[in-house]
Every structure is written in structure tokens, then in C-alpha cells.
Amino acid sequence: MTQTEPTLLLDLFNAYYCARKNKRNTINQLEFEINYESNLIQLHDDILNRTYSIFPSIAFIINKPVKREIFAASFRDRVVHHLLFNYINPTFENQFIKDSYSCRKGKGTHYGISRLYDSIKKCSKDYKEDCYVLKLDIQGYFMSINKTILQQKLIATLTTASTIKPAIKDLSHYLIDTILANDATQNCIIKGKISDWNDLPKSKSLFFSKANCGLPIGNLTSQLFSNIYLHSFDTFIKNENKIKYYGRYVDDFYIISDDASYLKDLITTSKEYLEKELGLQLHPKKIVLQHFSKGVNFLGATLKPHRMYVSNRAKINFKLCVKNWKLFLQNNTPHYADLVQIRASINSYLGIMRHYRTYNIRYNTLIKDRNNLLFQYGYIEAFKKGAMTYKLYPTIN
């Protein structure tokens, strides 16, 4: 019996409960849950015997908020992703800078927007002095991540981690090797039409990524790995270049200074570091240097002195989301899984908009028409400070 054997099964059960949050009643999850105990025991044996193999993913295209390629792992493999995440994330979480916002507890888009807003206010001395914001974006980030470099970063940190037991380290190394060695494009199941990929730039598709490069968008491990991959760049900007005001959400980042010329120089500095150390390219069409007073767009919000607005794109997408689901309900008899997806889609926009003065937009788009079909299956619950959420009737399941 190895040191991991007594805890691995318990850890897998915990990972299973984490994976099924927000995934209840999907077909993939239900198939696993029918015999979840025996499935978890089999998964335990496969991992312990080092015979675990990854099932084919489902590949499809989403169009909102932007067109993107998604690879959905099987529920069984999502359990393993959560297992690995639970093992190694605390170690990396202790290293990440405060202003890395993606896939972190207590962070997220609104936190990132608030930090940028506060940083502009501080740098400009409460909007009384000149202050400039440089925004940069990495071209085809997930598809450009070099797996060898990523693996070296992962192993280097885990090898020296004093808080992880040796047996867990060994197990984590095995799972990392297995996940990174897998090519999600091989034997994947295409959902939708091949033509869905027609307008997607090759730099945003795993099918066209360079050899030994690219992580599938849609996996928990990919989100964590993407943060780890750019952590060295975060510290390079913050520490070596002595930048006080810097923040990053996945591959979108900002740098704030009262010196516009210095920010121009940092474009070249950042470009050279990313290319040399990480094999990444700045997106040439997404380099923005502006005075704070012009209004800064970041993560779906527009920031101006003393106020924040939800972006026009978010407003348009919210209206289209509601319109499209209404049309869907007019032409289809929805399954419960459809209604769960409708609820998630609407609430994702309501969650964003609650932080801004958007009551009229939400009311006119979602609530004003009391006869819309959304209210045959659910209702709007209002909370303090203008928050609201769409809930399904308890009798619908």
C-alpha cells in the first residue's frame, strides 16, 4: 500500500463533488453519476496503477462574447482536473501576485475592474494629474503555450514545495505528464458543423497550433496552467521593472504610469521578454496607450473619472442572449438541461450588470414583457442594491 492509497479515493470523491457543481443534470455527468461509486473506484485504480488515460473531448464553437473554440472534457476527466487542482493550486496560489485575477477565489472580473479603477485614481492623484494606461494582449495565448516550458515551471515549483507530501508530489507529476501529453484534437467529437470553424482565426484554434504547443480552452487545468505560465512575466513587470500599477486577467493586462514615454518603452520590454522567455507574441492590433480621461475599456467595463459603465458590447450581448432564448422557447419544447443553460446564460449577464447602473437595461430587456416565455419556466428574484437573478420554478426538473 502506497502513502497515497488511503487518501486518494477520498480525494477523488471530493474532486467529484467539486466537478459536479454547476454541472448537474448534463448528460455526461448523469452517465457518470448512475454508478459514480464504482466509476470513482475504477478511476482510483487507474491512477494508482498509472494506467489512467484521457477520454475524447467534445469540440465546438461558441460565438459570445467572442468567437472561441471550446474542448469539453468528459466528466470523468473533469474529476481528475479537480483532483490535480486541489493538490497543487494552494502552492501556486501563495506565489501569484495580488493583481492576477483569473480563476482565483475572491478575484475575478469585477475585482480586476475595481483594482484598475482604484489604481487610475491613485496614480492620477484623484484625477487631478496626468496618468496613462497601457493595455496589452497576447495573440492566440492558449494555443501558443509551450508545453515543455510549462512543464518545467510546474515541476520546478512542486519539487521544492514543502507543503506537499512526497507521495502527492509524485501523483501530481504523473497527472501533469498525462494531461500535457494528451492532444485534445485527436479523436475528439465535433459538436455542430465543421463550417462553424470557418471564421475562426487559426491562432485561436488548437487544430492549427504548433507542435507541443496549446492548451484546450474549457478545462480547469488549462485555466490554472495559464496563470502559472505568465506568473514569471507578472513578477518581471512588478519587481524587475518596479511597476506599481499592473494587473492581468488571463492574457489581457494593463500597466499604469504618469510617464507615457516610459510606457512606450515597456511595450518593447514586454514584447522581448514574452518572445524570448515564453515564446509568446503581443497582439499587434491590441496595443492601446491612452490618457485615463478618454475612458478605459477592460473586462466588459468602461472606466471614466468618478464612474464605471458596463460596456456597449456587454449590453448588446445581453439583449441578444435574451432574444435568442425567447426564440428558442417559441420554437422548441425545452428539456431541463436546456432550461439550466438558459438560467446560467441569463444569470451570467445579470451578475456582471449588477455592479453598474443598469437597472433600466435589465428591466426593459428581461422583465418589462411579462408575457415572454421565460416566465413560463422561471421568475426573477430581486435582492438588495439592485441585484437580481433568474430562477427556475421548483416544479421544473
Side-chain angles (χ1 to χ4, degrees):
M1 180 179 290
T2 66
Q3 286 180 302
T4 58
E5 189 169 352
T7 65
L8 177 57
L9 188 57
L10 293 176
D11 295 338
L12 277 168
F13 269 88
N14 182 48
Y16 160 71
Y17 290 121
C18 291
R20 76 175 187 174
K21 289 178 182 177
N22 303 319
K23 294 291 182 181
R24 302 302 300 274
N25 298 308
T26 61
I27 294 175
N28 197 252
Q29 187 267 328
L30 288 172
E31 289 176 347
F32 188 94
E33 191 165 75
I34 291 172
N35 297 300
Y36 78 96
E37 290 183 343
S38 61
N39 286 331
L40 289 172
I41 291 172
Q42 182 61 56
L43 194 53
H44 165 272
D45 293 343
D46 290 343
I47 293 173
L48 202 63
N49 296 323
R50 302 298 191 261
T51 57
Y52 165 68
S53 60
I54 296 173
F55 284 5
S57 297
I58 298 175
F60 57 95
I61 296 293
I62 61 171
N63 293 293
K64 299 294 180 181
V66 295
K67 191 161 189 174
R68 185 175 289 132
E69 175 187 82
I70 302 293
F71 281 84
S74 71
F75 184 80
R76 166 183 171 273
D77 293 324
R78 288 204 298 271
V79 171
V80 175
H81 296 166
H82 279 274
L83 176 72
L84 179 61
F85 183 90
N86 292 343
Y87 280 156
I88 71 174
N89 183 61
T91 296
F92 289 98
E93 182 64 32
N94 290 333
Q95 295 184 349
F96 291 151
I97 65 169
K98 181 178 182 178
D99 287 291
S100 170
Y101 311 125
S102 174
C103 192
R104 298 180 65 193
K105 188 175 182 180
K107 307 287 185 178
T109 55
H110 182 62
Y111 179 81
I113 292 166
S114 297
R115 287 288 291 174
L116 173 56
Y117 182 83
D118 291 342
S119 295
I120 291 173
K121 188 175 181 180
K122 290 176 182 177
C123 185
S124 64
K125 305 295 191 292
D126 202 16
Y127 312 116
K128 296 174 183 177
E129 298 182 8
D130 284 332
C131 164
Y132 302 89
V133 181
L134 171 65
K135 293 195 304 171
L136 301 172
D137 182 282
I138 295 172
Q139 189 167 29
Y141 176 49
F142 277 88
M143 310 311 151
S144 302
I145 292 175
N146 184 293
K147 292 184 181 182
T148 299
I149 297 174
L150 172 61
Q151 192 168 34
Q152 290 170 350
K153 291 178 176 293
L154 287 163
I155 301 305
T157 298
L158 294 177
T159 300
T160 58
S162 59
T163 56
I164 304 179
K165 296 178 181 179
I168 299 299
K169 285 184 184 181
D170 182 62
L171 179 58
S172 298
H173 288 176
Y174 166 69
L175 293 177
I176 288 169
D177 291 346
T178 303
I179 290 170
L180 292 182
N182 180 64
D183 182 353
T185 65
Q186 297 298 310
N187 302 315
C188 67
I189 301 167
I190 301 294
K191 181 180 179 181
K193 304 183 293 291
I194 297 295
S195 60
D196 291 342
W197 272 258
N198 286 350
D199 299 327
L200 185 73
K202 290 185 178 180
S203 64
K204 292 188 176 183
S205 175
L206 207 56
F207 291 102
F208 297 98
S209 61
K210 295 179 182 178
N212 200 42
C213 288
L215 298 179
I217 296 176
N219 290 348
L220 177 64
T221 48
S222 296
Q223 296 175 44
L224 174 59
F225 291 167
S226 70
N227 270 346
I228 293 168
Y229 198 75
L230 277 177
H231 173 64
S232 62
F233 177 73
D234 295 339
T235 56
F236 171 74
I237 293 294
K238 289 285 291 182
N239 301 334
E240 294 188 35
N241 287 275
K242 310 299 182 184
I243 298 298
K244 185 175 182 180
Y245 303 113
Y246 164 85
R248 177 177 61 82
Y249 187 91
V250 192
D251 60 336
D252 295 328
F253 49 97
Y254 65 82
I255 306 171
I256 305 171
S257 173
D258 57 5
D259 187 342
S261 297
Y262 181 59
L263 290 178
K264 287 182 181 179
D265 292 338
L266 276 178
I267 296 174
T268 301
T269 301
S270 300
K271 181 176 182 292
E272 291 176 349
Y273 181 92
L274 290 168
E275 289 179 358
K276 181 180 178 182
E277 301 296 330
L278 301 173
L280 302 173
Q281 301 282 333
L282 286 179
H283 199 302
K285 296 182 179 179
K286 295 185 179 181
I287 298 174
V288 178
L289 177 58
Q290 63 184 106
H291 194 273
F292 77 89
S293 62
K294 300 298 183 181
V296 180
N297 295 319
F298 187 62
L299 303 180
T302 299
L303 312 185
K304 292 186 176 182
H306 304 291
R307 58 202 188 277
M308 293 188 287
Y309 301 100
V310 68
S311 69
N312 288 330
R313 187 175 76 176
K315 295 176 189 177
I316 292 169
N317 287 342
F318 173 55
K319 292 177 181 179
L320 285 174
C321 171
V322 174
K323 179 181 178 181
N324 290 338
W325 282 124
K326 286 180 179 179
L327 289 173
F328 174 83
L329 293 175
Q330 287 177 12
N331 299 315
N332 300 274
T333 301
H335 298 291
Y336 182 70
D338 298 321
L339 296 173
V340 169
Q341 188 175 357
I342 291 172
R343 179 183 63 189
S345 298
I346 292 174
N347 285 337
S348 67
Y349 284 104
L350 292 178
I352 293 170
M353 293 190 171
R354 68 182 293 264
H355 299 290
Y356 310 97
R357 296 177 181 177
T358 58
Y359 178 81
N360 288 339
I361 297 170
R362 288 177 286 164
Y363 177 83
N364 291 330
T365 303
L366 188 60
I367 303 174
K368 188 175 181 179
D369 179 11
R370 298 289 181 174
N371 295 318
N372 86 64
L373 291 175
L374 290 168
F375 294 120
Q376 287 190 15
Y377 303 96
Y379 61 96
I380 297 294
E381 182 174 355
F383 299 93
K384 293 181 180 179
K385 297 182 180 181
M388 58 179 68
T389 185
Y390 177 70
K391 291 190 172 183
L392 299 178
Y393 291 122
T395 52
I396 296 176
N397 51 50

